[in-house]
Amino acid sequence: MKRVLLFFLFVFIFFLDAEAQCAMCRAVLESEETQSAAEGINDGIVYLMAIPYILVGGIIFFIYRKYGSLKK
C-alpha cells in the first residue's frame, strides 16, 4: 500500500504543469515578445511554493519516525 501511495504522490508532484503567475505578473509578461522571462518567473514561483511543503513533509516524517519507533 505504501508503494502505491508513494507512486501516486510522485506522479502528482513531478508531472504537474503549473502556471503560477498572478494576474499582474501575467499582464506584464504577456506583452513581451519572447516568453523566456515568463517561463523563468513560473519556475521561480513553483520553486518557492514547493520549499514549505518539503520542509513540513520532512518534519512530519521525522515525528512519525520518532513516535513509530516508540510503539515497538
Side-chain angles (χ1 to χ4, degrees), residues 6 8 15-16 29-30 34-35 40 51 58 63 68 71:
L6 287 175
F8 283 115
F15 295 109
L16 286 177
L29 292 173
E30 281 180 351
T34 62
Q35 294 297 318
I51 297 299
I63 290 172
K71 291 181 183 179

Side-chain angles (χ1 to χ4, degrees), residues 27-58:
V28 170
L29 292 173
E30 281 180 351
S31 64
E32 183 179 300
E33 290 289 326
T34 62
Q35 294 297 318
S36 61
E39 291 173 7
I41 295 286
N42 276 340
D43 292 342
I45 292 170
V46 171
Y47 174 73
L48 289 173
M49 180 186 70
I51 297 299
Y53 288 105
I54 292 170
L55 290 174
V56 169

